[in-house]
Amino acid sequence: MPCNPVGFRRRVKLERAIMTTSPDIRSAAAPVAKTHPRDALAMLTPFRWNGGLAVIFALLAASFFVAGYFVIYWRNADMDLVVIYNALVMNDGGPQAYHDHPAYLTIVSLKLWFQLLHHLGLLNAWKLSSLPPASDIPAFDAAMTEAVRSGRVLAGLISALFVAAFAGLIRLIVRDWRIALLATFAFAFSGGVAVHMRILRTEMIAACFVIFAFMTLIVVAQRARTWRPLALMAAAALCILGMENKVQVILLIAALPMIIQPFGAGSGASSGFWDNGSRAWLTTLFAAIVTAALFVAALPLIRAGFDPDAIATAKLRPLIAGTFGLYQIALAAWIDIGMTVFAIIWRIRLTETLTAMCAVIAGASLGLLALNLDYNVQNAVALINPIEKMLVFIDLASAQDIARDGNIVGVGLLFKGIVGVLQRYSFVLFTSPRPAVFLTWLIIPGIFYAWRRGEKQVALQAALLLLTAIGIDALGIRRGLKAEYFILTDPLIIIAGAVLLDRMNDLRLRKWAYPIGAALLVLHVAVSQAEPVKFVLKREGPEGYCQWRPYYMPLMPLPHCSTPAKPA
């Protein structure tokens, strides 16, 4: 049926006008032009919101069981067996032995998961003493298979929960539920989620907590709500919890004060409650008192993180001027500067700004207190000194150069990393199991297109997100930018694409919109499954983990290794 050119132009103008209004008004007008015969979004989301989510979770479950759950237990020994070993030892009353990331939440959650399954009669191998001797190979393999598969189920459940959380948050960020559903699909079948939903690693929990904190900041930045400081407190707590699992997310956290700036809106100016009157100042005073109490409660953990003996045990070296703690103060100041700049640009009142700053400190203190759930001083050392801990994981020569020459060597390594990232984003120069790179092919020209048509704010939003992803990936090149690290930056790329498309919603009516969208969906699923399929098809034996078993699993003998275990 031919469409009326005049009516079509009016429809497009109406949609552009809607996109310049506040989020609440936009959400009320969301169903614009759903029935247009060339509407690519309608054709790509035929099952509506709930049906689309059901399809996503069904496909995730199929992928998990076809290429993941039944893989032999030692295939992903690094880190499956390391995490499981720590959970088994802790269930036997021993301390956490692995602190490299420091992997705190992953290990503690698996420990509790094993306890629950054992209580329900679903798991026999729930502690180290319950394992059969390694000399009884069939019994040992059966017990370890049971434990590893139980751990994989936990990884799959956590991934599904995070996909659901991403779906809820992205729907609050973008205007059109169809764009939110496509973004959720892109996240669910990103290279990072595809890897982490079937193995026990630390990046998934850490990265998603920080990404969800960022998405929460976007939501509240555009909405004037009295309770907004509480959302900032939750975001700060999520960031610290993320670092407790993998300190590398400090890079994401450091980027938040910058990348949140263009996400403000006129509708996000302070509500009437924060009118600088006595009621608002009393609320600020109350927030300061609560913050002081929480900070005092968390102070012993901060001191433990700087304990010289514990630092010596961790073999950390100070990053700046032979002194620990300098860049931590700088990071805190950077966050305060970011909050102050945001408050000035987007008209946030002084009382709300001060209350929000208190809330951030309170949330960080609450996150720190989570270390007391299963206290180990080495977790505090890693959390309080994240950069020093990270330097342990790059090659020794580079670490020594950075510690000695600082900026010169660091800039050189960053430049090489950026070149490597751009090669990978091209996919042609360096292939990888990362479907998000195909989104960058649309996001980069989309940024320029948005700027030219006057959508400068959304162009800046997408550009900052993409540049942040490139910068973090460039640092990850030092460790090969493995598929496990994609989860740190894939969500930034996906959010950039979603906000661009949401602002330029009329593109869905273009001639090539549907073929390009359909091709991206197919590519996304196909490329994301490359890494899981590779593990299924691997044929090498388990002997590789024998090299590091004495260090990471000293109390547990393995049937394929000749080195005996240490006595318990």
Side-chain angles (χ1 to χ4, degrees), residues 99 101-102 243 247 316 377-386 389:
H99 311 281
H101 292 176
M243 281 185 60
V247 295
L316 302 185
V377 67
Q378 287 302 317
N379 288 327
V381 169
L383 178 64
I384 301 300
N385 305 284
K389 195 68 175 177

Side-chain angles (χ1 to χ4, degrees), residues 35 102 110 121 123 127 137 144 152 185 229 238 288 321 471 512-513 560 567:
T35 58
L110 185 64
L123 179 65
K127 58 182 181 178
I137 296 179
M144 284 303 298
R152 288 172 182 166
F185 184 93
L238 284 173
W512 293 101
H560 309 284

